[in-house]
Amino acid sequence: MKKRLLSFWEIWNMSFGFLGIQFGYALQGGFMSRIFQTLGASEDEIPLLWIAAPLTGLIVQPIIGYLSDRTWHPKLGRRKPYFLIGAVLSSLALFFAPHSSALWMAAGFLWVIDACINISMEPFRALVADKLHESQRSYGFVVQTLIIGIGTWVASNLPWLINQLGVSNEAPAGVVPQSVRIAFAIGAFVFILSILYTIFTTEEYPPEDMEAFLKEKKEKKSNFIKDITENVANMPKTMRKLGVIQFFSWFAFFTMWSLATPALTEHIYDAPKPDVKLYAQLDAEGSIVHKGEGEDKRVMFLDAEKEATYTTKDKAYNTAADEVGSAMGVYGLSSMAFALLLTFYSARFKLNRKYTHLVSLILGGLGFIGMYFCDDFISLAICFVLVGISWGSILSMPYAMLSSSIDPTKMGMFMGLFNMFIVIPQIVAALGGVNFVYKLIGDKTINAMIVAGISLIVAGLFNLLITNKKAIAYSIDQSE
């Protein structure tokens, strides 16, 4: 089918749901480690607590991609039913996550949040390829990145902004501050509204031959495992090469999401999360003694002086964590600016995706390494500006290259399988890979940011493997 060229606002409308998706990811990435630490997790335990998220993506995205390729609803279309289901479930999980009273509850909510966000996110990638002419795909994925950048910046700054409006960022030991709870509630509200906006403003193309589509769907209904296996075995070469780039890219960003808060609050602000066990009453088994139940559960301190010392240190940590969250938000802002620049350029000229991605990843790697030398918010924000350039490219260039090198009738399936190269590095990192590698440099958690930087630079250099001319740069003059 000959696809017409869409206007900026048509592409904006079909991508707007990513605002909510990114609210969910930014709140999860910026503040779940803070919640884990509040509930008693040590720095070394944090990556493992994150493992549910990538494991969920490994399972959910290929399934959703496969199902959405074979779905057609008369009113909602092919991809939009999954947007809606994921949005409703994600919003509920986001609202309740910061109300966790135990570490296992918070880890469970992270699993649910990531599973539900994946239900919405994977079909959004496929929708761009479904609706856009190949000459507009870089443009389409860049517009998505622009919206993602807006969501990252706003969501990352929510706890800080809410605190500035008078809501406390302090709480008793083991309790998540009210400012974080309100931020997650706002994120849940934005998630569902933005997805609904895309659903009501975007029409999907029906299958060209509905009768053949329904027949194929019926015949292939029980062949899910076989189809997945065959498509993995017959994965295009360009997709495999992009997978190597994705591995090192997402290893770096998982390291940031899981360890940036403990690393930077300690290294830059000298305000690590205090270990409540040093100040609290312990039972015979060495566990903290509490009084009350549920949200009223409180730590019993050794004495008033110990409680005051802990409270002072915890206040310093929460203030530092708010600033780190705001600095992380800068990477969303710079990715938005970078995406805006690419939007203007790719709307008018042919974009070399390969070298754009190579340079962007190397700049992000330098940003991570630079964090070791930061001593205040401004210098840290500058580093996150560089990280944001790489993030803007990661969210657009690999998908643009991939969509130009795979069978369009299997777009959802391959977009889902491509997620393997996102979640496998995160699983490797969560199972101890990141702890092992950064401790080769030294015991300080800030060394994890150096590892993230090296990983991004390696990812950038692997772009030199990409040789498919159609993937590197597609122009409207090329044949379809």
Side-chain angles (χ1 to χ4, degrees):
M1 178 175 64
K2 178 73 174 179
K3 297 176 183 177
R4 67 180 179 87
L5 300 181
L6 301 188
S7 70
F8 170 81
W9 289 112
E10 287 176 304
I11 297 173
W12 175 273
N13 289 343
M14 65 187 275
S15 301
F16 190 77
F18 249 112
L19 180 72
I21 290 173
Q22 197 55 34
F23 258 72
Y25 270 129
L27 289 168
Q28 169 186 296
F31 301 101
M32 282 307 298
S33 289
R34 178 176 176 178
I35 291 173
F36 290 151
Q37 283 193 292
T38 298
L39 296 173
S42 68
E43 292 177 0
D44 285 349
E45 290 173 327
I46 289 173
L48 189 58
L49 290 168
W50 275 81
I51 194 170
L55 277 175
T56 301
L58 184 64
I59 297 167
V60 171
Q61 286 218 19
I63 295 174
I64 296 300
Y66 179 88
L67 293 176
S68 69
D69 280 343
R70 288 157 178 75
T71 295
W72 183 256
H73 188 277
K75 291 185 178 180
L76 290 177
R78 173 173 291 172
R79 315 295 181 185
K80 291 192 289 185
Y82 301 94
F83 299 170
L84 185 59
I85 293 169
V88 171
L89 297 176
S90 296
S91 297
L92 290 172
L94 277 170
F95 181 84
F96 288 108
H99 295 271
S100 301
S101 59
L103 199 53
W104 66 267
M105 290 177 63
F109 272 119
L110 176 60
W111 175 76
V112 175
I113 290 170
D114 209 76
C116 299
I117 290 178
N118 274 304
I119 293 172
S120 287
M121 186 182 71
E122 194 284 331
F124 261 101
R125 301 293 190 194
L127 180 66
V128 170
D130 288 345
K131 286 186 65 70
L132 294 183
H133 186 280
E134 258 189 284
S135 64
Q136 283 193 308
R137 291 208 183 143
S138 292
Y139 186 35
F141 285 116
V142 165
V143 171
Q144 274 192 357
T145 303
L146 176 62
I147 293 171
I148 288 169
I150 296 169
T152 300
W153 180 64
V154 175
S156 297
N157 280 284
L158 272 179
W160 172 85
L161 177 61
I162 292 165
N163 178 239
Q164 296 304 302
L165 293 174
V167 178
S168 177
N169 69 349
E170 299 178 52
V175 178
V176 177
Q178 189 68 13
S179 59
V180 176
R181 292 181 175 185
I182 292 175
F184 272 69
I186 292 172
F189 185 69
V190 171
F191 199 122
I192 189 69
L193 285 185
S194 63
I195 293 288
L196 289 174
Y197 179 86
T198 287
I199 288 173
F200 287 123
T201 60
T202 302
E203 295 292 331
E204 294 191 68
Y205 294 130
E208 292 185 61
D209 187 336
M210 184 63 75
E211 185 177 341
F213 172 80
L214 294 174
K215 181 180 178 182
E216 183 182 14
K217 176 183 173 183
K218 185 177 181 180
E219 289 175 351
K220 291 196 172 184
K221 196 168 185 179
S222 60
N223 291 332
F224 171 71
I225 300 298
K226 179 182 176 183
D227 286 355
I228 289 283
T229 304
E230 287 180 355
N231 281 295
V232 169
N234 298 317
M235 194 179 295
K237 289 182 180 179
T238 299
M239 185 172 173
R240 295 177 188 274
K241 293 174 182 178
L242 286 168
V244 177
I245 298 166
Q246 291 288 81
F247 181 93
F248 288 100
S249 300
W250 286 87
F251 186 95
F253 273 87
F254 181 87
T255 300
M256 180 190 76
W257 292 325
S258 60
L259 291 175
T261 297
L264 298 173
T265 51
E266 178 181 3
H267 182 72
I268 297 175
Y269 296 94
D270 194 25
K273 180 70 177 177
D275 184 354
V276 69
K277 283 189 174 183
L278 299 178
Y279 307 91
Q281 296 179 29
L282 304 179
D283 61 21
E285 297 178 352
S287 299
I288 298 170
V289 176
H290 294 87
K291 62 179 179 180
E293 296 293 334
E295 292 193 6
D296 294 324
K297 191 176 181 181
R298 298 291 184 269
V299 170
M300 295 290 290
F301 288 91
L302 290 169
D303 53 46
E305 183 180 352
K306 292 290 187 183
E307 182 174 5
T309 301
Y310 175 85
T311 301
T312 300
K313 289 180 178 290
D314 194 53
K315 180 180 179 179
Y317 167 78
N318 282 314
T319 299
D322 280 348
E323 287 216 14
V324 169
S326 294
M328 288 180 71
V330 171
Y331 91 83
L333 192 62
S334 66
S335 71
M336 178 180 66
F338 183 62
L340 190 60
L341 178 64
L342 291 181
T343 299
F344 288 132
Y345 186 89
S346 60
R348 293 165 177 79
F349 306 104
K350 184 167 65 174
L351 181 69
N352 190 305
R353 300 160 178 169
K354 170 180 174 176
Y355 288 111
T356 298
H357 201 40
L358 185 153
V359 173
S360 300
L361 293 180
I362 290 175
L363 288 174
L366 294 175
F368 275 125
I369 293 170
M371 292 177 190
Y372 184 87
F373 305 99
C374 292
D375 57 7
D376 58 16
F377 179 86
I378 299 299
S379 56
L380 181 60
I382 291 171
C383 288
F384 274 115
V385 167
L386 297 176
V387 170
I389 292 172
S390 67
W391 182 237
S393 189
I394 286 169
L395 295 175
S396 54
M397 292 301 105
Y399 297 99
M401 287 190 273
L402 175 68
S403 66
S404 295
S405 56
I406 57 178
D407 182 351
T409 65
K410 298 179 179 180
M411 192 63 69
M413 164 76 78
F414 277 121
M415 286 289 180
L417 289 176
F418 194 52
N419 189 58
M420 291 191 306
F421 302 120
I422 294 175
V423 299
I424 290 173
Q426 296 182 65
I427 293 169
V428 170
L431 287 174
V434 63
N435 286 340
F436 173 77
V437 176
Y438 92 70
K439 287 182 179 179
L440 294 177
I441 304 173
D443 290 335
K444 293 289 186 180
T445 316
I446 189 61
N447 291 316
M449 299 301 100
I450 295 176
V451 168
I454 294 171
S455 186
L456 265 192
I457 291 171
V458 170
L461 294 175
F462 269 113
N463 276 274
L464 297 172
L465 294 174
I466 305 298
T467 56
N468 184 320
K469 292 182 179 179
K470 194 174 180 182
I472 292 169
Y474 187 93
S475 85
I476 198 165
D477 296 326
Q478 288 175 271
S479 61
E480 291 188 13

